[in-house]
């Protein structure tokens, strides 16, 4: 026998009954050893077997079946899903994914609307006029692609949470390869394709993001690995309790990432005030920095999974060991990245652009990038470790303070007030990341 599952959430149904009363009914059901939550779509036969809206093969004792019939009569307007004990956690995960997709779709649409509003008022950003014909088409393409990126992220986080990190990695790598090929064809007009420049890069990015979501959707609906989760996904409901939990944990994390993205975007705008060369050098340096960041983030994501697993077991020593194992890996990686940038700083800009002025400025910015690495790795690692124990608010507050209280003001002060130019703006990012880590 198994106990009643909390999977079929009462808050998600349309009723006006008191939740406290329902909780008391649940407790009574536990005492009678029920094996699934009742449903007005389900029936019990003489052997206690359940038919109708179920997940797995729940069974009820004679006493529990009688109580089940009483619940059906009392709460006739409520929808329940009976879940067997062995399927309960899989069903919860599948329903959570369904709620996550719903939230991310709404957020994606809202972000696109905000981006559209900014596009209609783009003149207030005071970007160089010669860049506007390139910026606007690319921006419009990104406006559409953000929705598919949000939906894919739901599948990716779900897969990571089930310890399957290989599938999303393969999907993303495959999409990136296609994105690179698309860039090669559409930016430069190779093999008879139109030469679209930055717009071609935007088209390629949009196509790759649609592809990542599409591939993961097909995998989830067809692959046997996700079979146990599909039942919960299909029969689960979008309900207040699930959405509340996702918002409670996700909002601070989203706020933190939004603050970081906003800070870097504002840095790009400030670089645009310095001219095309500074803006191009900043973008090249950003790409190089991202190579290190992705490795740090991969290690940190693994730490999150391990820490959350140990947190479920309440094994705090193991949490500490997993976190410090990640620390050693991040510091080792940061050392390698710093050495590579230091050795190749004078020529690494040529990987992306043939412009000598841009390459020389990239070599100058490399010093800030070098100072940035260890702090960047540490803040990513410990932020993700805290997420593994559901401690998400503190880092959100610190992100806001360090980005908008340190990075941007210091960057503006050094870049424009002191007249240091591009390197001054990067000084703000370097100070921020060590301030963030220190917190």
């Amino acid at each position: 026998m198994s106990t009643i599952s909390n999977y079929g959430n009462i808050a998600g149904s349309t009723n006006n009954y008191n939740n406290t009363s329902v909780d008391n009914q649940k407790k009574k059901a536990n005492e009678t050893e029920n094996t699934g939550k009742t449903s007005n779509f389900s029936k019990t036969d003489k052997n206690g077997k359940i038919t109708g809206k179920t997940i797995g093969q729940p069974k009820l004792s004679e006493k529990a079946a009688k109580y089940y019939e009483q619940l059906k009569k009392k709460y006739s307007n409520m929808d329940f899903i009976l879940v067997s004990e062995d399927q309960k956690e899989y069903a919860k995960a599948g329903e959570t994914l369904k709620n996550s997709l719903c939230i991310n779709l709404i957020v994606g649409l809202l972000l696109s609307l905000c981006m559209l509003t900014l596009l209609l008022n783009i003149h207030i950003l005071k970007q160089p006029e010669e860049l506007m014909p390139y910026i606007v088409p690319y921006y419009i393409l990104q406006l559409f692609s953000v929705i598919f990126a949000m939906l894919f992220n739901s599948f990716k986080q779900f897969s990571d949470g089930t310890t399957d990190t290989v599938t999303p990695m393969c999907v993303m790598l495959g999409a990136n390869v296609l994105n690179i090929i698309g860039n090669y064809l559409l930016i430069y007009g190779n093999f008879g394709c139109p030469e679209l420049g930055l717009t071609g890069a935007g088209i390629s990015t949009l196509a790759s993001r649609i592809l990542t979501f599409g591939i993961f959707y097909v995998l989830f609906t067809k692959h046997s690995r996700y079979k146990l989760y599909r039942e919960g996904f299909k029969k689960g409901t979008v309900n207040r309790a699930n959405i509340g939990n996702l918002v409670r944990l996700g909002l601070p994390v989203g706020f933190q990432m939004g603050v970081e993205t906003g800070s870097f975007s504002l840095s790009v705008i400030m670089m645009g005030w310095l001219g095309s060369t500074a803006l191009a050098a900043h973008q090249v340096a950003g790409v190089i920095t991202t190579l290190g960041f992705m490795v740090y983030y991969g290690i940190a994501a693994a730490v999150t999974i391990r820490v959350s697993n140990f947190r479920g077991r309440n094994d705090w020593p193991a949490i500490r060991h997993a976190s410090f194992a990640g620390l050693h890996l991040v510091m080792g990686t940061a050392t390698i990245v710093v050495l590579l940038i230091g050795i190749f700083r004078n020529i690494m800009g040529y990987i992306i652009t043939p412009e000598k002025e841009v390459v020389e400025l990239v070599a100058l910015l490399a010093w800030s990038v070098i100072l940035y690495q260890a702090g960047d790795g540490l803040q990513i690692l410990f932020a993700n470790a805290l997420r593994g124990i559901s401690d998400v608010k503190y880092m959100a507050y610190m992100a806001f303070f360090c980005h908008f209280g340190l990075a941007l003001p210091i960057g503006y002060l050094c870049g424009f007030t002191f007249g240091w130019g591009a390197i001054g703006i990067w000084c703000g990012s370097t100070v921020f990341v060590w301030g963030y880590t220190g917190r």
Side-chain angles (χ1 to χ4, degrees), residues 135-434:
I135 292 174
V136 173
Y138 181 82
Y139 188 89
I140 292 173
L141 291 165
Q142 297 310 302
L143 184 151
F144 287 105
S145 72
V146 69
I147 298 172
F148 297 98
M150 295 291 293
L151 293 173
F152 166 74
N153 197 49
S154 283
F155 279 117
K156 180 189 179 300
Q157 297 299 324
F158 167 79
S159 187
D160 287 346
T162 63
T163 71
D164 177 19
T165 57
V166 175
T167 300
M169 180 194 72
C170 292
V171 172
M172 292 179 72
L173 287 177
N176 283 335
V177 169
L178 292 176
N179 191 17
I180 292 170
I181 294 172
N183 287 339
Y184 179 74
L185 295 175
L186 297 176
I187 293 176
Y188 302 106
N190 293 310
F191 295 101
C193 295
E195 185 177 347
L196 301 176
L198 188 60
T199 302
I203 293 172
S204 184
T205 299
L206 174 60
S208 66
R209 287 182 174 179
I210 293 173
L211 189 64
T212 54
F213 168 67
I215 290 174
F216 226 125
Y217 177 79
V218 172
L219 286 174
F220 180 78
T221 55
K222 302 296 182 182
H223 199 282
S224 59
R225 178 181 180 86
Y226 300 107
K227 181 179 180 181
L228 294 173
Y229 303 102
R230 282 199 293 270
E231 286 299 308
F233 182 85
K234 292 176 182 176
K235 297 180 180 180
T237 59
V238 177
N239 57 74
R240 266 181 281 170
N242 247 321
I243 289 178
N245 286 331
L246 290 172
V247 170
R248 179 178 60 83
L249 292 173
L251 192 60
V253 176
F255 176 77
Q256 178 185 343
M257 298 181 72
V259 165
E260 293 173 356
T261 303
S263 176
F264 288 121
S265 297
L266 291 172
S267 296
V268 172
I269 292 171
M270 286 194 289
M271 284 291 181
W273 296 341
L274 296 174
S276 302
T277 301
L279 183 59
H282 177 73
Q283 293 294 87
V284 172
V287 169
I288 294 168
T289 302
T290 301
L291 297 177
F293 168 83
M294 295 309 296
V295 179
Y296 308 147
Y297 193 85
I299 296 170
V303 169
T304 303
I305 295 169
R306 299 299 296 157
V307 165
S308 62
N309 186 281
F310 292 132
R311 179 65 182 90
R313 303 177 193 176
N314 205 29
D315 190 347
W316 290 98
I319 290 174
R320 183 179 177 85
H321 292 153
S323 299
F324 277 91
L327 172 63
H328 298 150
L329 288 171
V330 165
M331 293 308 295
T333 304
T335 301
I336 294 172
V337 172
V338 165
L339 289 174
L340 290 173
I341 293 174
I343 293 170
F344 299 107
R345 69 181 189 87
N346 290 317
I347 59 174
M348 61 185 182
Y350 285 115
I351 299 173
I352 300 175
T353 179
E355 298 292 333
K356 185 178 179 181
E357 290 183 1
V358 175
V359 173
E360 290 175 349
L361 187 52
V362 169
L364 179 62
L365 296 178
W367 294 114
S368 289
V369 174
I370 288 171
L371 294 174
Y372 183 89
Q373 292 306 303
D376 192 33
L378 289 174
Q379 65 93 6
I380 294 167
L381 172 72
F382 290 118
N384 278 271
L386 288 172
R387 289 171 191 169
I389 59 173
S390 301
D391 185 356
V392 294
K393 292 183 179 179
Y394 178 78
M395 293 304 291
Y397 298 145
M398 289 303 100
F400 182 81
F401 171 75
C402 291
H403 277 284
F404 287 93
L406 292 176
L408 292 174
I410 291 174
Y412 184 86
L413 183 69
C414 294
F416 298 97
T417 305
F418 294 162
W420 295 357
I423 190 69
I425 295 174
W426 267 86
C427 285
S429 298
T430 305
V431 171
F432 130 75
V433 79
W434 281 106

Side-chain angles (χ1 to χ4, degrees), residues 2-16:
S2 58
T3 57
I4 282 187
S5 164
N6 291 325
Y7 166 68
N9 198 287
I10 293 172
S13 59
T14 54
N15 68 88
N16 296 316

